[in-house]
């Protein structure tokens, strides 16, 4: 038996499939949601940060609008999502509120997790919600996402959110209770796989196609999610949400597959930063700032001596040490004009210089890769790897 202690994780993303939350005829499954939220409240009370990725907007909107089972055109499913999302968000906020928990709705599109500038914004907003002890309730912004530029399934979306937020566990709740060697409903020989140490091509081959008509994601998108999560160092669990209190059930040892995180996570994001061919600017820093970076801190404006280049917030800049050599690269948190204004300033003086309250760091440590002699061994590896492909 696989007992997984959810409370031993620091930041858990729980993804809920549409079929669990929405019944075709009666709409939202309130009793089920209430029981799940009891579990979430218990987890949050134990000190674990919880993020929710909730599907169900389109399914719920379909029921509310009486659209039946027919295939919807893009604009119809977008309209259904608009109707469903408002009800869904209301239900989450009501249920979490029963436990005195505040929720914040976050609707994201593919670009919000894949484009640098928007990635920084989405991450900052979700971090702030967590800091304020609000539970982010996240879904794809289906009303504006067009078919070419959307996730389409919340399994991969949840994996990107979990990794973007540096989460250590992603739980996928749906109508399947784990990974099998073959589809269990069709093959009596199918064996359950309790733990996956690495998502090999053989594991990927177990993907098959979509699982149920209500949800878009099948085992295929769950394995894709597993690849995204585990490669970035986030563990993943596939578990059934069919019974009430599914998170408690996981802790009690209900059937579930655990995907272990990669022991040497490819920091794809950092590799990507290090691999930018043409940094858009150069930030020259002093000795103290270099020492702070080596100690794992962010680059604050106080340690910046010179700012060069016409960059925008979110662009990659080269960070130049006092010896004139490149000490690292990072994503800059300010447009060039503002960076010039605050170079050398203490954190307290930034707001006055800019005329608005801003985040303190010039380059946040999560967006920073040190290079060469300056780097610790793990970062040296990042620099030496084939960054261009990341
Ligand atoms: N974002 C979709 C919705 O809320 C669900 C996508 C999925 O089923 O994974 O309806």
């Amino acid at each position: 038996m696989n007992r997984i202690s959810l409370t031993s994780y620091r930041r858990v993303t729980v993804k809920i499939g549409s079929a669990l939350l929405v019944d075709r005829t009666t709409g939202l499954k309130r009793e089920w949601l209430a029981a799940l939220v009891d579990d979430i409240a218990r987890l949050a009370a134990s000190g674990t940060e919880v993020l929710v990725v909730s599907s169900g907007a389109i399914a719920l909107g379909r029921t509310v609008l009486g659209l039946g089972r027919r295939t919807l055109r893009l604009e119809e499913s977008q309209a259904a999502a608009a109707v469903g999302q408002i009800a869904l968000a209301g239900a989450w906020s009501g249920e979490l509120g029963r436990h005195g928990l505040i929720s914040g709705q976050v609707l994201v599109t593919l670009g919000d997790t894949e484009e640098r500038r928007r990635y920084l914004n989405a991450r900052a907003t979700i971090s702030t919600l967590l800091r304020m002890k609000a539970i982010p309730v996240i879904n794809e912004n289906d009303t504006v996402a067009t078919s070419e530029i959307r996730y389409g399934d919340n399994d991969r979306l949840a994996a990107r959110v979990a990794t973007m937020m540096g989460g250590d566990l992603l739980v996928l709740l749906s109508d399947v209770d784990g990974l099998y060697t073959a589809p269990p409903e069709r093959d009596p020989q199918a064996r359950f796989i309790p733990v996956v140490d690495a998502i090999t091509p053989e594991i990927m081959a177990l993907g098959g196609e979509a699982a149920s008509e209500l949800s878009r994601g099948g085992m295929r998108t769950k394995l894709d999610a597993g690849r995204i999560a585990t490669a970035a160092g986030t563990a993943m669990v596939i578990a059934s949400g069919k019974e009430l209190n599914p998170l408690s059930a996981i802790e009690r040892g209900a059937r579930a597959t655990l995907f272990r995180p990669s022991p040497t996570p490819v920091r794809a994001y950092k590799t990507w930063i290090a691999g930018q061919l043409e940094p858009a600017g150069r930030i020259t820093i002093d000795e103290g700032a270099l020492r702070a970076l080596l100690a794992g801190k962010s680059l604050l404006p106080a340690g910046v001596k010179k700012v060069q280049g016409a960059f925008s917030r979110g662009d990659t800049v080269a960070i130049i040490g006092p010896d004139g050599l490149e000490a690292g690269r990072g994503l800059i948190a300010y447009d060039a004009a503002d960076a010039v204004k605050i170079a050398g300033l203490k954190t307290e003086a930034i707001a006055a210089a800019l005329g608005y309250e801003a985040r303190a760091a010039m380059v946040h440590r999560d967006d920073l890769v040190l290079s060469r002699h300056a780097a610790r061994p793990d970062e040296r590896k990042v620099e030496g790897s084939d960054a261009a492909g990341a």
Side-chain angles (χ1 to χ4, degrees), residues 4 9 155 159 168-172 196 199 219 221-227 229-230 234-238 257-261:
I4 301 166
Y9 289 89
D155 294 326
D168 46 1
L169 180 68
L170 166 64
V171 179
L172 299 182
V196 174
I199 305 190
M219 192 47 77
T221 55
K222 289 181 179 46
L223 292 176
D224 284 341
R227 244 195 335 204
T230 58
T234 306
M236 186 176 92
V237 168
I238 296 181
T257 298
L258 172 69
F259 294 76
R260 293 219 170 93

Side-chain angles (χ1 to χ4, degrees), residues 21 28 30 33-34 37 54-57 60 81-99 101-107 135 137-139:
L21 261 176
L28 193 72
R30 292 199 175 270
L33 177 62
V37 170
S54 176
S55 304
L60 189 56
V83 170
Q85 182 62 39
I86 204 166
L88 196 60
W92 276 107
S93 117
E95 286 303 331
L96 288 163
R98 235 177 7 94
H99 292 271
L101 294 169
I102 297 170
S103 44
Q105 174 184 256
V106 182
L107 298 180
I135 298 201
V137 178
I138 303 159
N139 195 1

Side-chain angles (χ1 to χ4, degrees), residues 50-283:
V50 183
L51 295 91
V52 171
V53 173
S54 176
S55 304
I58 297 175
L60 189 56
R62 205 186 241 283
T63 313
V64 175
L65 292 166
L67 296 173
R69 281 165 183 257
R70 69 182 170 83
T71 311
L72 301 181
R73 291 196 308 272
L74 177 65
E75 62 276 20
E76 287 175 324
S77 61
Q78 294 187 312
V83 170
Q85 182 62 39
I86 204 166
L88 196 60
W92 276 107
S93 117
E95 286 303 331
L96 288 163
R98 235 177 7 94
H99 292 271
L101 294 169
I102 297 170
S103 44
Q105 174 184 256
V106 182
L107 298 180
V108 294
T109 53
L110 190 64
D112 293 321
T113 59
E114 305 309 307
E115 279 170 31
R116 285 171 288 170
R117 201 182 169 88
R118 288 160 64 188
Y119 178 108
L120 295 182
N121 286 335
R123 195 183 59 187
T125 306
I126 298 173
S127 299
T128 307
L129 283 171
L130 292 172
R131 212 168 36 246
M132 293 172 163
K133 303 269 176 256
I135 298 201
V137 178
I138 303 159
N139 195 1
E140 184 159 20
N141 195 348
D142 294 309
T143 46
V144 296
T146 56
S147 47
E148 309 79 59
I149 47 158
R150 69 201 301 258
Y151 276 97
D153 70 86
N154 275 359
D155 294 326
R156 290 177 309 137
L157 171 74
R160 281 303 276 138
V161 167
T163 58
M164 171 167 93
M165 300 312 299
D168 46 1
L169 180 68
L170 166 64
V171 179
L172 299 182
L173 294 177
S174 73
D175 48 9
V176 295
D177 59 4
L179 183 64
Y180 290 79
T181 53
E185 62 289 352
R186 275 182 265 149
D187 185 346
Q189 304 290 310
R191 268 185 312 106
F192 168 67
I193 305 175
V195 177
V196 174
D197 282 309
I199 305 190
T200 57
E202 292 72 37
I203 294 286
M204 281 313 283
L206 303 175
E209 336 73 73
S212 95
E213 45 140 1
L214 259 190
S215 60
R216 291 161 193 275
M219 192 47 77
R220 160 64 53 182
T221 55
K222 289 181 179 46
L223 292 176
D224 284 341
R227 244 195 335 204
I228 296 168
T230 58
T234 306
M236 186 176 92
V237 168
I238 296 181
S240 167
K242 280 194 192 156
E243 307 299 328
L244 296 184
N245 302 100
L247 299 180
S248 305
I250 294 172
E251 298 213 283
R252 280 197 307 272
R255 180 163 280 197
T257 298
L258 172 69
F259 294 76
R260 293 219 170 93
S262 156
T264 51
V266 189
R267 305 290 303 276
Y269 177 60
K270 291 215 169 187
T271 310
W272 169 69
I273 294 172
Q276 298 286 304
L277 293 181
E278 287 294 331
R282 288 161 64 87
I283 305 292

